[in-house]
């Protein structure tokens, strides 16, 4: 898995270098920056190697696949160019009042209130460990989602394309930046997490259905592009599978739960 990550970085790095050489962007003036970058790469390799040595194979597998998956989805959706808006226009063309109402109701299942209620219900009525698990997935997802929104600052679809219209009832809650979708990340993280730990087939099926419908509703209402919901869904799925084995070991290793809570507290204060 380390070799897989190294190969991915090597390919993308070489592609970038060749592209910059061909375009004339690589000049002597950037050598100091390249030197600093090289030092950071070496330090990252050393630190990463030590961390990887302490992770079990399952966690490592999840991290690698999640990273490759997120990178692949971002690249795929980026290269679709204007096709993302074509998807939204296609959904706009099938809008009818009753379906607008249904999708508006479904999209509420991605709100933070639903995530908190679901996590606390599981904590008090089902399993404290699984309740902590949902809270950890939701909290980590929210922090990462807000960080990415502030980092990329991508406007909403109707701002990018003034000819595009949205379902007006959804406008009030469609505030802030568009990428990635917070509702999608909440829904996929919460209901994906429930599907991950439940042993009841009907609960798993219902949770997966909701996790699929909420991202679709965000695009139908016109408040997010496929890129927004696609990246958010991949991040949420990665957190669902990465945190599950960690939380499952918390019963036998009490320090795990303490470490998770400490990280959550530090992020909240920061």
């Amino acid at each position: 898995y380390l070799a897989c990550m190294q190969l991915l970085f090597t390919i993308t790095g070489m592609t970038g270098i060749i592209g910059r050489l061909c375009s004339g962007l690589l000049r002597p003036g950037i050598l100091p920056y390249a030197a600093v970058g090289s030092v950071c790469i070496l330090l990252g390799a050393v630190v990463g190697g030590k961390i990887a040595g302490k992770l079990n194979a399952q966690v490592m597998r999840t991290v690698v696949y999640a990273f490759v998956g997120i990178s692949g989805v971002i690249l795929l959706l980026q290269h679709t160019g204007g096709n993302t808006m074509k998807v939204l226009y296609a959904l706009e063309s099938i809008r009818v009042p009753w379906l607008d109402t249904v999708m508006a109701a479904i999209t509420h299942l991605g709100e933070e209130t639903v995530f908190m209620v679901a996590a606390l219900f599981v904590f008090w009525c089902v399993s404290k460990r699984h309740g902590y698990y949902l809270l950890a997935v939701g909290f980590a997802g929210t922090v990462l989602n807000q960080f990415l929104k502030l980092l990329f600052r991508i406007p909403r679809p109707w701002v990018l394309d003034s000819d595009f219209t949205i379902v007006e009832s959804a406008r009030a809650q469609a505030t802030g930046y568009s990428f990635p979708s917070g509702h999608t990340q909440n829904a996929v993280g919460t209901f994906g997490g429930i599907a991950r730990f439940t042993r009841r087939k009907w609960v798993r099926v219902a949770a997966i259905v909701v996790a699929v419908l909420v991202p679709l509703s965000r695009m139908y209402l016109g408040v997010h592009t496929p890129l927004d919901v696609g990246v958010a869904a991949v991040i949420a799925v990665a957190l669902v599978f990465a945190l599950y084995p960690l939380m499952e070991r918390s019963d036998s290793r009490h320090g795990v739960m303490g470490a998770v809570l400490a990280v959550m507290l530090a992020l909240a204060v920061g």
Side-chain angles (χ1 to χ4, degrees):
Y1 301 107
L2 280 176
C4 180
M5 291 186 71
Q6 290 169 346
L7 179 61
L8 176 65
F9 279 121
T10 301
I11 293 174
T12 54
M14 291 302 297
T15 302
I17 291 173
I18 293 172
R20 287 172 173 81
L21 282 172
C22 294
S23 60
L25 293 176
L26 287 182
R27 300 176 181 177
I30 68 168
L31 289 179
Y33 302 101
V36 173
S38 299
V39 172
C40 293
I41 291 173
L42 292 174
L43 289 175
V46 173
V47 174
K50 292 183 178 181
I51 294 175
K54 297 182 180 181
L55 296 176
N56 63 36
Q58 181 62 37
V59 174
M60 197 64 194
R61 184 182 299 112
T62 302
V63 170
V64 172
Y65 286 161
F67 180 82
V68 174
I70 292 171
S71 301
V73 169
I74 292 176
L75 289 174
L76 177 63
L77 293 175
Q78 281 180 336
H79 284 291
T80 59
N83 290 333
T84 56
M85 288 306 299
K86 290 181 180 179
V87 173
L88 296 189
Y89 274 114
L91 292 172
E92 181 187 31
S93 67
I94 64 171
R95 288 178 191 161
V96 290
W98 69 267
L99 190 54
D100 292 354
T101 303
V102 171
M103 287 298 185
I106 291 174
T107 208
H108 286 305
L109 296 174
E111 294 179 358
E112 292 182 358
T113 305
V114 175
F115 142 65
M116 291 297 297
V117 170
L120 292 175
F121 174 81
V122 170
F123 181 85
W124 290 112
C125 303
V126 180
S127 165
K128 284 183 170 54
R129 183 177 71 254
H130 291 152
Y132 278 127
Y133 166 59
L134 290 183
L135 287 170
V137 170
F139 185 83
T142 299
V143 172
L144 182 57
N145 186 273
Q146 293 302 312
F147 171 76
L148 292 175
K149 282 181 181 289
L150 294 175
L151 178 64
F152 290 98
R153 300 183 180 185
I154 297 178
R156 295 281 177 172
W158 67 88
V159 178
L160 295 173
D161 187 344
S162 58
D163 294 328
F164 180 70
T165 59
I166 70 171
V167 176
E168 285 301 321
S169 62
R171 189 184 294 273
Q173 291 185 325
T175 58
Y177 296 111
S178 186
F179 174 87
S181 168
H183 279 70
T184 296
Q185 193 153 322
N186 285 335
V188 176
T190 301
F191 294 99
I194 292 173
R196 181 66 182 87
F197 69 71
T198 186
R199 295 183 179 180
R200 299 179 180 179
K201 186 176 180 179
W202 72 269
V203 175
R204 180 176 293 113
V205 170
I208 292 174
V209 169
V210 173
V212 171
L213 287 178
V214 170
L216 178 61
S217 73
R218 301 305 287 169
M219 292 188 291
Y220 175 89
L221 295 172
V223 294
H224 284 293
T225 66
L227 177 64
D228 300 338
V229 301
V231 172
V234 172
I235 293 174
V237 170
L239 289 173
V240 164
F241 283 95
L243 292 178
Y244 184 76
L246 186 66
M247 302 302 289
E248 285 295 295
R249 293 199 301 273
S250 63
D251 283 346
S252 58
R253 299 175 63 181
H254 299 292
V256 171
M257 184 63 71
V260 171
L261 294 176
V263 170
M264 292 171 63
L265 178 62
L267 289 174
V269 173

